[in-house]
Tab-separated table of all heavy atoms in Angstrom:
chain	number	residue	atom	x	y	z
A	129	GLY	N	-6.197	0.800	14.011
A	129	GLY	CA	-6.921	0.798	12.727
A	129	GLY	C	-8.420	0.770	12.871
A	129	GLY	O	-9.150	1.037	11.907
A	130	GLN	N	-8.914	0.431	14.074
A	130	GLN	CA	-10.358	0.435	14.328
A	130	GLN	C	-10.810	1.733	14.994
A	130	GLN	O	-11.999	1.943	15.220
A	130	GLN	CB	-10.745	-0.761	15.209
A	130	GLN	CG	-10.709	-2.107	14.477
A	130	GLN	CD	-11.805	-2.249	13.429
A	130	GLN	OE1	-12.643	-1.365	13.249
A	130	GLN	NE2	-11.803	-3.360	12.714
A	131	SER	N	-9.864	2.620	15.304
A	131	SER	CA	-10.198	3.881	15.969
A	131	SER	C	-10.847	4.855	14.985
A	131	SER	O	-10.345	5.054	13.876
A	131	SER	CB	-8.901	4.493	16.540
A	131	SER	OG	-8.965	5.887	16.544
A	132	ARG	N	-11.948	5.445	15.395
A	132	ARG	CA	-12.692	6.365	14.525
A	132	ARG	C	-11.818	7.550	14.075
A	132	ARG	O	-11.910	8.011	12.953
A	132	ARG	CB	-13.935	6.869	15.268
A	132	ARG	CG	-14.921	7.578	14.356
A	132	ARG	CD	-16.188	7.960	15.094
A	132	ARG	NE	-16.925	6.785	15.561
A	132	ARG	CZ	-17.987	6.843	16.355
A	132	ARG	NH1	-18.419	8.018	16.794
A	132	ARG	NH2	-18.619	5.764	16.727
A	133	GLU	N	-10.973	8.015	14.997
A	133	GLU	CA	-10.127	9.186	14.704
A	133	GLU	C	-9.110	8.898	13.599
A	133	GLU	O	-8.773	9.772	12.802
A	133	GLU	CB	-9.379	9.613	15.971
A	133	GLU	CG	-8.522	10.858	15.776
A	133	GLU	CD	-7.589	11.120	16.950
A	133	GLU	OE1	-7.726	10.484	18.018
A	133	GLU	OE2	-6.710	11.979	16.776
A	134	HIS	N	-8.625	7.675	13.532
A	134	HIS	CA	-7.511	7.362	12.626
A	134	HIS	C	-7.922	6.577	11.385
A	134	HIS	O	-7.208	6.610	10.380
A	134	HIS	CB	-6.427	6.596	13.388
A	134	HIS	CG	-5.869	7.385	14.527
A	134	HIS	ND1	-5.049	8.479	14.346
A	134	HIS	CD2	-6.052	7.275	15.871
A	134	HIS	CE1	-4.734	8.996	15.518
A	134	HIS	NE2	-5.329	8.292	16.460
A	135	ARG	N	-9.052	5.906	11.448
A	135	ARG	CA	-9.461	5.073	10.317
A	135	ARG	C	-9.726	5.933	9.082
A	135	ARG	O	-10.437	6.922	9.134
A	135	ARG	CB	-10.695	4.268	10.705
A	135	ARG	CG	-11.016	3.169	9.713
A	135	ARG	CD	-12.175	2.322	10.203
A	135	ARG	NE	-12.485	1.277	9.239
A	135	ARG	CZ	-11.895	0.094	9.187
A	135	ARG	NH1	-10.957	-0.206	10.055
A	135	ARG	NH2	-12.232	-0.798	8.270
A	136	GLU	N	-9.107	5.552	7.979
A	136	GLU	CA	-9.252	6.263	6.697
A	136	GLU	C	-9.007	7.761	6.849
A	136	GLU	O	-9.699	8.579	6.258
A	136	GLU	CB	-10.597	5.923	6.049
A	136	GLU	CG	-10.618	4.429	5.700
A	136	GLU	CD	-11.821	3.917	4.945
A	136	GLU	OE1	-12.907	4.479	5.111
A	136	GLU	OE2	-11.655	2.927	4.198
A	137	ALA	N	-7.976	8.107	7.637
A	137	ALA	CA	-7.675	9.514	7.937
A	137	ALA	C	-6.371	10.005	7.308
A	137	ALA	O	-6.048	11.182	7.403
A	137	ALA	CB	-7.596	9.701	9.450
A	138	TYR	N	-5.626	9.104	6.664
A	138	TYR	CA	-4.273	9.465	6.211
A	138	TYR	C	-4.131	9.434	4.688
A	138	TYR	O	-4.660	8.550	4.021
A	138	TYR	CB	-3.244	8.528	6.846
A	138	TYR	CG	-3.209	8.700	8.354
A	138	TYR	CD1	-3.978	7.882	9.181
A	138	TYR	CD2	-2.459	9.710	8.938
A	138	TYR	CE1	-3.986	8.057	10.559
A	138	TYR	CE2	-2.461	9.897	10.318
A	138	TYR	CZ	-3.225	9.074	11.118
A	138	TYR	OH	-3.235	9.258	12.484
A	139	ASP	N	-3.378	10.423	4.184
A	139	ASP	CA	-3.084	10.476	2.743
A	139	ASP	C	-2.129	9.354	2.358
A	139	ASP	O	-2.220	8.787	1.266
A	139	ASP	CB	-2.426	11.821	2.374
A	139	ASP	CG	-3.304	13.004	2.752
A	139	ASP	OD1	-4.393	13.131	2.158
A	139	ASP	OD2	-2.923	13.790	3.645
A	140	VAL	N	-1.191	9.079	3.261
A	140	VAL	CA	-0.171	8.058	3.018
A	140	VAL	C	0.038	7.244	4.292
A	140	VAL	O	0.093	7.802	5.381
A	140	VAL	CB	1.180	8.709	2.614
A	140	VAL	CG1	2.292	7.664	2.520
A	140	VAL	CG2	1.057	9.458	1.296
A	141	VAL	N	0.137	5.933	4.139
A	141	VAL	CA	0.540	5.075	5.250
A	141	VAL	C	1.772	4.302	4.791
A	141	VAL	O	1.796	3.744	3.691
A	141	VAL	CB	-0.589	4.104	5.669
A	141	VAL	CG1	-0.108	3.159	6.767
A	141	VAL	CG2	-1.797	4.897	6.168
A	142	THR	N	2.813	4.318	5.632
A	142	THR	CA	4.056	3.626	5.289
A	142	THR	C	4.319	2.499	6.278
A	142	THR	O	3.884	2.543	7.427
A	142	THR	CB	5.272	4.581	5.341
A	142	THR	OG1	5.383	5.124	6.660
A	142	THR	CG2	5.144	5.714	4.345
A	143	ALA	N	5.061	1.515	5.814
A	143	ALA	CA	5.556	0.451	6.694
A	143	ALA	C	6.794	-0.133	6.041
A	143	ALA	O	6.845	-0.310	4.821
A	143	ALA	CB	4.497	-0.629	6.893
A	144	ARG	N	7.790	-0.386	6.865
A	144	ARG	CA	9.065	-0.900	6.353
A	144	ARG	C	9.432	-2.163	7.125
A	144	ARG	O	9.702	-2.115	8.309
A	144	ARG	CB	10.130	0.182	6.526
A	144	ARG	CG	11.555	-0.195	6.153
A	144	ARG	CD	12.445	1.033	6.373
A	144	ARG	NE	13.846	0.761	6.201
A	144	ARG	CZ	14.701	0.601	7.203
A	144	ARG	NH1	14.284	0.676	8.461
A	144	ARG	NH2	15.965	0.375	6.966
A	145	ALA	N	9.392	-3.287	6.426
A	145	ALA	CA	9.852	-4.572	6.987
A	145	ALA	C	9.205	-4.929	8.325
A	145	ALA	O	9.844	-5.468	9.209
A	145	ALA	CB	11.372	-4.530	7.144
A	146	VAL	N	7.916	-4.610	8.481
A	146	VAL	CA	7.225	-4.897	9.753
A	146	VAL	C	6.690	-6.328	9.775
A	146	VAL	O	6.835	-7.042	10.758
A	146	VAL	CB	6.060	-3.888	9.984
A	146	VAL	CG1	5.255	-4.260	11.216
A	146	VAL	CG2	6.603	-2.475	10.106
A	147	ALA	N	6.047	-6.741	8.693
A	147	ALA	CA	5.446	-8.076	8.606
A	147	ALA	C	5.290	-8.408	7.121
A	147	ALA	O	5.518	-7.558	6.264
A	147	ALA	CB	4.066	-8.075	9.281
A	148	ARG	N	4.878	-9.636	6.839
A	148	ARG	CA	4.706	-9.967	5.423
A	148	ARG	C	3.528	-9.198	4.836
A	148	ARG	O	2.656	-8.711	5.547
A	148	ARG	CB	4.600	-11.465	5.209
A	148	ARG	CG	3.467	-12.186	5.874
A	148	ARG	CD	3.738	-13.689	5.758
A	148	ARG	NE	2.638	-14.494	6.254
A	148	ARG	CZ	2.476	-14.797	7.544
A	148	ARG	NH1	3.301	-14.322	8.451
A	148	ARG	NH2	1.470	-15.565	7.928
A	149	MET	N	3.507	-9.115	3.522
A	149	MET	CA	2.618	-8.195	2.809
A	149	MET	C	1.131	-8.396	3.134
A	149	MET	O	0.400	-7.430	3.312
A	149	MET	CB	2.865	-8.372	1.308
A	149	MET	CG	2.350	-7.265	0.454
A	149	MET	SD	3.211	-5.719	0.748
A	149	MET	CE	2.023	-4.610	0.043
A	150	SER	N	0.700	-9.635	3.234
A	150	SER	CA	-0.725	-9.891	3.509
A	150	SER	C	-1.119	-9.331	4.878
A	150	SER	O	-2.208	-8.787	5.058
A	150	SER	CB	-1.024	-11.392	3.436
A	150	SER	OG	-0.103	-12.106	4.237
A	151	VAL	N	-0.215	-9.452	5.848
A	151	VAL	CA	-0.470	-8.950	7.202
A	151	VAL	C	-0.410	-7.422	7.213
A	151	VAL	O	-1.292	-6.741	7.764
A	151	VAL	CB	0.544	-9.544	8.210
A	151	VAL	CG1	0.314	-8.989	9.609
A	151	VAL	CG2	0.469	-11.071	8.208
A	152	LEU	N	0.636	-6.882	6.595
A	152	LEU	CA	0.806	-5.419	6.530
A	152	LEU	C	-0.399	-4.736	5.914
A	152	LEU	O	-0.833	-3.679	6.362
A	152	LEU	CB	2.016	-5.075	5.650
A	152	LEU	CG	3.358	-4.842	6.313
A	152	LEU	CD1	4.291	-4.200	5.300
A	152	LEU	CD2	3.234	-3.957	7.534
A	153	THR	N	-0.918	-5.336	4.859
A	153	THR	CA	-2.056	-4.756	4.146
A	153	THR	C	-3.261	-4.617	5.083
A	153	THR	O	-3.934	-3.589	5.093
A	153	THR	CB	-2.420	-5.627	2.922
A	153	THR	OG1	-1.292	-5.647	2.043
A	153	THR	CG2	-3.623	-5.089	2.179
A	154	GLU	N	-3.506	-5.645	5.878
A	154	GLU	CA	-4.637	-5.593	6.820
A	154	GLU	C	-4.430	-4.514	7.882
A	154	GLU	O	-5.380	-3.877	8.334
A	154	GLU	CB	-4.849	-6.960	7.484
A	154	GLU	CG	-6.011	-6.951	8.447
A	154	GLU	CD	-6.406	-8.327	8.968
A	154	GLU	OE1	-5.868	-9.357	8.472
A	154	GLU	OE2	-7.253	-8.384	9.883
A	155	LEU	N	-3.177	-4.293	8.289
A	155	LEU	CA	-2.888	-3.289	9.314
A	155	LEU	C	-2.894	-1.872	8.754
A	155	LEU	O	-3.249	-0.920	9.463
A	155	LEU	CB	-1.520	-3.575	9.954
A	155	LEU	CG	-1.339	-4.935	10.627
A	155	LEU	CD1	0.077	-5.062	11.188
A	155	LEU	CD2	-2.370	-5.153	11.727
A	156	CYS	N	-2.494	-1.729	7.493
A	156	CYS	CA	-2.258	-0.385	6.940
A	156	CYS	C	-3.393	0.180	6.087
A	156	CYS	O	-3.738	1.362	6.218
A	156	CYS	CB	-0.967	-0.381	6.118
A	156	CYS	SG	0.517	-0.673	7.102
A	157	LEU	N	-3.961	-0.635	5.205
A	157	LEU	CA	-4.958	-0.075	4.269
A	157	LEU	C	-6.185	0.531	4.958
A	157	LEU	O	-6.711	1.541	4.479
A	157	LEU	CB	-5.389	-1.119	3.239
A	157	LEU	CG	-4.681	-1.056	1.881
A	157	LEU	CD1	-5.218	-2.132	0.943
A	157	LEU	CD2	-4.816	0.304	1.212
A	158	PRO	N	-6.677	0.000	6.087
A	158	PRO	CA	-7.822	0.645	6.744
A	158	PRO	C	-7.533	2.079	7.206
A	158	PRO	O	-8.458	2.860	7.427
A	158	PRO	CB	-8.116	-0.271	7.935
A	158	PRO	CG	-7.619	-1.612	7.504
A	158	PRO	CD	-6.381	-1.310	6.716
A	159	LEU	N	-6.272	2.440	7.328
A	159	LEU	CA	-5.899	3.794	7.778
A	159	LEU	C	-5.833	4.800	6.629
A	159	LEU	O	-5.811	6.004	6.853
A	159	LEU	CB	-4.527	3.752	8.473
A	159	LEU	CG	-4.436	2.898	9.733
A	159	LEU	CD1	-2.980	2.687	10.128
A	159	LEU	CD2	-5.202	3.560	10.885
A	160	VAL	N	-5.781	4.295	5.397
A	160	VAL	CA	-5.583	5.158	4.219
A	160	VAL	C	-6.912	5.728	3.745
A	160	VAL	O	-7.903	5.012	3.631
A	160	VAL	CB	-4.920	4.367	3.061
A	160	VAL	CG1	-4.636	5.276	1.860
A	160	VAL	CG2	-3.639	3.687	3.521
A	161	LYS	N	-6.907	7.043	3.463
A	161	LYS	CA	-8.086	7.687	2.865
A	161	LYS	C	-8.346	7.094	1.487
A	161	LYS	O	-7.405	6.682	0.795
A	161	LYS	CB	-7.795	9.180	2.611
A	161	LYS	CG	-7.782	10.075	3.798
A	161	LYS	CD	-7.424	11.493	3.317
A	161	LYS	CE	-7.365	12.455	4.495
A	161	LYS	NZ	-6.880	13.783	4.068
A	162	ILE	N	-9.601	7.138	1.046
A	162	ILE	CA	-9.887	6.752	-0.336
A	162	ILE	C	-9.165	7.751	-1.244
A	162	ILE	O	-9.241	8.963	-1.043
A	162	ILE	CB	-11.402	6.705	-0.603
A	162	ILE	CG1	-12.010	5.553	0.196
A	162	ILE	CG2	-11.692	6.539	-2.099
A	162	ILE	CD1	-13.500	5.446	0.165
A	163	GLY	N	-8.422	7.229	-2.196
A	163	GLY	CA	-7.601	8.086	-3.058
A	163	GLY	C	-6.180	8.240	-2.559
A	163	GLY	O	-5.317	8.770	-3.251
A	164	GLY	N	-5.933	7.764	-1.321
A	164	GLY	CA	-4.596	7.843	-0.734
A	164	GLY	C	-3.743	6.645	-1.116
A	164	GLY	O	-4.148	5.785	-1.921
A	165	THR	N	-2.540	6.577	-0.525
A	165	THR	CA	-1.554	5.576	-0.927
A	165	THR	C	-0.954	4.845	0.267
A	165	THR	O	-0.567	5.470	1.251
A	165	THR	CB	-0.403	6.252	-1.717
A	165	THR	OG1	-0.948	7.007	-2.804
A	165	THR	CG2	0.582	5.222	-2.268
A	166	PHE	N	-0.878	3.537	0.149
A	166	PHE	CA	-0.135	2.701	1.090
A	166	PHE	C	1.207	2.395	0.432
A	166	PHE	O	1.255	1.864	-0.679
A	166	PHE	CB	-0.932	1.427	1.380
A	166	PHE	CG	-0.167	0.303	2.027
A	166	PHE	CD1	0.818	0.537	2.977
A	166	PHE	CD2	-0.454	-1.017	1.691
A	166	PHE	CE1	1.514	-0.508	3.568
A	166	PHE	CE2	0.224	-2.079	2.275
A	166	PHE	CZ	1.216	-1.820	3.212
A	167	ILE	N	2.302	2.792	1.106
A	167	ILE	CA	3.642	2.554	0.568
A	167	ILE	C	4.286	1.440	1.382
A	167	ILE	O	4.599	1.620	2.560
A	167	ILE	CB	4.518	3.820	0.627
A	167	ILE	CG1	3.860	4.970	-0.157
A	167	ILE	CG2	5.926	3.534	0.090
A	167	ILE	CD1	4.621	6.290	-0.077
A	168	ALA	N	4.458	0.283	0.747
A	168	ALA	CA	5.089	-0.862	1.419
A	168	ALA	C	6.530	-0.960	0.952
A	168	ALA	O	6.799	-1.006	-0.254
A	168	ALA	CB	4.329	-2.141	1.087
A	169	MET	N	7.453	-0.975	1.915
A	169	MET	CA	8.879	-1.047	1.606
A	169	MET	C	9.373	-2.435	1.978
A	169	MET	O	9.302	-2.849	3.130
A	169	MET	CB	9.628	0.038	2.381
A	169	MET	CG	9.070	1.434	2.109
A	169	MET	SD	9.938	2.743	3.007
A	169	MET	CE	11.489	2.808	2.100
A	170	LYS	N	9.887	-3.136	0.976
A	170	LYS	CA	10.219	-4.551	1.155
A	170	LYS	C	11.628	-4.874	0.647
A	170	LYS	O	12.189	-4.151	-0.167
A	170	LYS	CB	9.205	-5.396	0.375
A	170	LYS	CG	7.838	-5.420	1.034
A	170	LYS	CD	7.867	-6.371	2.175
A	170	LYS	CE	6.686	-6.350	3.075
A	170	LYS	NZ	6.935	-7.137	4.279
């Protein structure tokens, strides 16, 4: 998530049952483009 190539580079980031929501959000939202979507499956 700190890599220049991948940070804010994705239209959609998904995660399914990886960690609790507060943790997942920190791992996933930095990868999402502005206007994109983080899909959390719980």
Side-chain angles (χ1 to χ4, degrees):
Q130 287 291 358
S131 149
R132 193 175 296 172
E133 182 191 349
H134 299 288
R135 192 175 179 86
E136 296 185 330
Y138 296 94
D139 302 295
V140 173
V141 176
T142 59
R144 175 179 173 258
V146 174
R148 61 192 186 276
M149 197 66 198
S150 51
V151 178
L152 265 193
T153 299
E154 181 171 352
L155 301 179
C156 294
L157 263 181
L159 298 167
V160 183
K161 285 178 181 174
I162 292 174
T165 306
F166 164 37
I167 302 176
M169 304 180 73
K170 287 282 170 190

